[in-house]
Amino acid sequence: MFRSSKRRTAGRRNFESAQINPSSEDSYINNTLFSAKLSFYQLPPVGEITLDQFETWAIDRIKILNEIESATVRNKTYKDIESTVLPLLNQYLPLTSSNDAEKLKLNKQKDYYSHFILRLCFARTKELRDKFIKNETILFKIRFNQLSTRDQQVFIKSLNLPWDFITPEEKQIHSDNLFKAIAPSLQFQLQLTDDNSKRSFFENENFIKLPFENVSDLVSHRSIFLHKGYAYIPQFQQLQLLLNEYQSHLSTQLLSAAHAFPSLDEDDRILPILTHLSTNSNVSYTPDYESANSSDINAKSIYTKKINSNFPLCASQLMNGLNQTHHLKYIARQQFTLFLKGIGLSLDQALEYWQNEFTRSISLDKFQKEYAYNIRHTYGKEGARINYKPWDCKTILSKPRPAKGEFHGCPYRDLNPENLSRNLQNMGLSEKDVMDVVEISSKGEYTGACTKVLELKSGINEVVVHPNLYFDRMRQSQVKEEEVK
């Protein structure tokens, strides 16, 4: 698969077994792998590439997938994602026509190989596999929509999927049922509101017939016509069918890659590259409990401005609620305990901190009996001894909104504009900056609002997908300022 002057290892033999005769390689590449403008990446790549290409091509594809995930976590619309990703595609993975046949061949080769390289990177855990499938599916959708109608049909036919376009005679037989089934979709997806426009569209639309189990999601929404075990889908919905097939294919192939991955254990050339790519290639975040920035975190220092001024707004809200009431309800305790764990507060210091707060409203005995166990459990020292991870923004936003007297959740979602503005002003933001952040949150871009605050406070332009990421970046900025002084 790749070429290098370094020694061959036992793991290399696994790649050699997949080689084809070099004399037929060009024909295989041009006629089988890279003939279409789009691909399901069904066949493995063959031939050799250099280690430099192996890493560089993967990094270029990761840049595109990162941008897709970044836009997704900021709740961007598909159109916004598409407008952002297309320039990156032209820069890093161009597949447009070119007068230079060799350049076009190299571009297609880069696209094909980079996909399979990243399969190795993201196959090892379910979280990584899900992330890869989600982002690659969006990339596939963007590319499919850039094809002409003719190229779309050529590509679909090349896949040999279990689809058949029905004949005009069959359409006429089921005409009434087909129209009733797609009428709601015509209104909500294509904005066709009057019966004449719907009928006109229907008369010119082709329909796809396939086994109903292939579209169980559409069946559950009652948006298709079923007859004798077959589902009838209008052609304008074919992209969703393709995406379902693509996701299913990727899921199966990633599991196969995960099972085969141990065979690479002896190859000391690519494993470090794969590890680096998979741990530094996405906008997810894992707190480092033992980083240099956590060395001064303890039950007393949390109260100091030096530490808590770096809290994101959600953590500040939790701390303020605890300071006011000397008690937090279960979801809030979980959220704040895990956040403090993530910034480096040890179990002993956490017990001291929570005991100090709670015993201002309850007895020490009650705290020990009703609350200490849960804190130790959160740190993985009781019960199943699971090392629970601090909640990321996605998890926090999945929890119920806080009721009166509760402090958990995301302030950018849960606070009204007036209270949110007051909190942002208390963080030191100017009136104009406060208005900008409130406007972002009012559009439902909650992580985008927090990202904007991080940028305004530290100058760091990084998507906030985790409260602990916000804290760590603020601490890094704080340390740099102290060094300058």
Side-chain angles (χ1 to χ4, degrees):
M1 183 176 179
F2 54 86
R3 179 171 62 254
S4 175
S5 60
K6 294 189 69 174
R7 67 178 178 85
R8 293 172 180 246
T9 68
R12 178 70 173 97
R13 288 194 293 273
N14 293 297
F15 289 95
E16 289 175 335
S17 65
Q19 297 296 329
I20 64 171
N21 189 322
S23 63
S24 62
E25 181 177 327
D26 283 344
S27 175
Y28 177 80
I29 290 173
N30 291 325
N31 298 330
T32 307
L33 295 189
F34 310 145
S35 58
K37 295 182 178 181
L38 199 60
S39 177
F40 259 27
Y41 308 97
Q42 293 168 310
L43 297 172
V46 297
E48 292 188 342
I49 61 175
T50 66
L51 281 175
D52 181 61
Q53 288 174 321
F54 186 94
E55 184 170 16
T56 303
W57 290 358
I59 289 174
D60 284 350
R61 193 180 194 93
I62 280 172
K63 290 176 181 176
I64 295 172
L65 298 185
N66 274 357
E67 190 59 41
I68 290 173
E69 185 171 3
S70 173
T72 301
V73 299
R74 286 180 286 167
N75 298 314
K76 295 293 185 180
T77 65
Y78 169 76
K79 287 296 183 183
D80 289 336
I81 297 174
E82 184 181 56
S83 63
T84 302
V85 169
L86 284 176
L88 294 178
L89 275 174
N90 292 330
Q91 180 179 355
Y92 296 115
L93 290 176
L95 292 180
T96 53
S97 300
S98 171
N99 295 327
D100 188 337
E102 283 300 313
K103 184 176 181 181
L104 181 60
K105 173 184 170 182
L106 182 62
N107 287 339
K108 289 186 175 181
Q109 184 185 32
K110 177 181 179 180
D111 171 64
Y112 211 90
Y113 275 73
S114 65
H115 173 87
F116 276 88
I117 293 168
L118 293 194
R119 279 192 191 180
L120 292 176
C121 294
F122 293 96
R124 284 174 285 181
T125 68
K126 184 180 186 304
E127 182 181 3
L128 290 175
R129 290 194 295 270
D130 289 346
K131 188 185 300 294
F132 182 70
I133 292 171
K134 179 188 70 175
N135 295 332
E136 278 283 338
T137 300
I138 295 174
L139 176 59
F140 178 89
K141 181 178 180 179
I142 292 172
R143 282 178 156 173
F144 183 83
N145 285 331
Q146 295 306 304
L147 298 179
S148 66
T149 301
R150 179 181 177 280
D151 285 337
Q152 288 178 355
Q153 296 308 312
V154 169
F155 170 68
I156 292 172
K157 289 179 181 179
S158 72
L159 297 175
N160 295 318
L161 295 171
W163 300 4
D164 286 313
F165 280 93
I166 65 174
T167 63
E169 291 76 18
E170 188 172 5
K171 180 181 176 181
Q172 182 61 39
I173 292 172
H174 301 295
S175 177
D176 290 342
N177 289 322
L178 289 174
F179 181 76
K180 290 176 183 177
I182 73 165
S185 297
L186 294 178
Q187 179 171 345
F188 294 110
Q189 289 185 244
L190 303 182
Q191 283 75 53
L192 301 178
T193 55
D194 61 280
D195 287 341
N196 289 335
S197 58
K198 290 179 183 178
R199 277 288 176 187
S200 176
F201 183 91
F202 173 77
E203 294 299 329
N204 295 296
E205 180 70 343
N206 293 319
F207 281 80
I208 300 166
K209 177 181 178 181
L210 72 166
F212 80 92
E213 61 266 23
N214 290 41
V215 286
S216 57
D217 55 335
L218 295 178
V219 172
S220 64
H221 289 100
R222 300 184 179 182
S223 58
I224 55 177
F225 171 57
L226 293 178
H227 180 68
K228 294 185 177 180
Y230 286 93
Y232 292 74
I233 315 293
Q235 186 174 352
F236 74 87
Q237 291 183 337
Q238 68 181 353
L239 178 54
Q240 187 56 51
L241 301 181
L242 272 180
L243 297 181
N244 291 345
E245 291 284 347
Y246 187 57
Q247 288 176 329
S248 176
H249 169 70
L250 274 187
S251 179
T252 301
Q253 294 301 311
L254 285 170
L255 284 174
S256 297
H259 294 151
F261 199 85
S263 65
L264 298 176
D265 282 348
E266 296 180 29
D267 198 321
D268 58 2
R269 297 164 300 167
I270 64 172
L271 274 181
I273 297 175
L274 295 176
T275 301
H276 171 74
L277 291 171
S278 63
T279 56
N280 296 279
S281 61
N282 51 69
V283 297
S284 62
Y285 175 76
T286 301
D288 183 359
Y289 305 131
E290 299 179 354
S291 69
N293 291 333
S294 65
S295 60
D296 58 346
I297 304 294
N298 56 59
K300 292 184 174 59
S301 66
I302 290 175
Y303 291 99
T304 65
K305 187 175 181 179
K306 179 181 179 181
I307 301 300
N308 60 47
S309 64
N310 297 311
F311 284 11
L313 188 54
C314 57
S316 295
Q317 179 170 271
L318 287 162
M319 188 173 191
N320 291 337
L322 182 58
N323 291 341
Q324 293 168 17
T325 64
H326 308 299
H327 185 273
L328 290 177
K329 294 187 178 180
Y330 177 73
I331 296 179
R333 289 202 309 274
Q334 286 291 100
Q335 182 178 339
F336 197 36
T337 300
L338 288 169
F339 170 79
L340 294 176
K341 177 184 176 183
I343 70 174
L345 188 67
S346 68
L347 173 58
D348 289 341
Q349 292 297 307
L351 287 167
E352 180 180 335
Y353 172 73
W354 287 98
Q355 177 180 305
N356 179 55
E357 286 294 336
F358 271 48
T359 53
R360 298 184 186 186
S361 61
I362 63 174
S363 68
L364 176 59
D365 184 59
K366 184 172 182 177
F367 172 80
Q368 293 292 349
K369 288 181 179 180
E370 298 183 15
Y371 299 101
Y373 175 90
N374 286 336
I375 296 170
R376 293 195 298 271
H377 185 272
T378 301
Y379 274 76
K381 302 301 181 182
E382 298 283 0
R385 298 184 182 277
I386 299 172
N387 184 25
Y388 293 97
K389 297 179 180 179
W391 291 352
D392 59 13
C393 296
K394 182 179 179 181
T395 301
I396 292 171
L397 288 167
S398 71
K399 302 297 179 182
R401 291 174 181 264
K404 185 176 181 180
E406 295 182 325
F407 301 94
H408 65 270
C410 173
Y412 299 102
R413 177 194 65 179
D414 301 326
L415 295 181
N416 61 45
E418 182 180 349
N419 288 334
L420 178 58
S421 298
R422 187 183 307 111
N423 278 271
L424 293 171
Q425 290 170 356
N426 292 337
M427 294 179 75
L429 270 60
S430 68
E431 184 176 349
K432 179 182 180 303
D433 290 339
V434 168
M435 292 176 62
D436 290 342
V437 174
V438 172
E439 181 180 0
I440 295 172
S441 67
S442 68
K443 297 176 181 178
E445 299 177 13
Y446 310 121
T447 56
C450 195
T451 297
K452 181 66 175 179
V453 174
L454 175 65
E455 181 182 357
L456 293 170
K457 296 274 291 179
S458 66
I460 297 174
N461 186 10
E462 183 171 357
V463 178
V464 176
V465 294
H466 202 299
N468 291 88
L469 182 149
Y470 180 102
F471 177 84
D472 284 352
R473 299 300 180 261
M474 287 293 295
R475 283 283 274 171
Q476 290 171 11
S477 176
Q478 186 182 65
V479 170
K480 287 181 180 179
E481 290 180 4
E482 291 174 350
E483 290 175 350
V484 171
K485 295 178 181 178

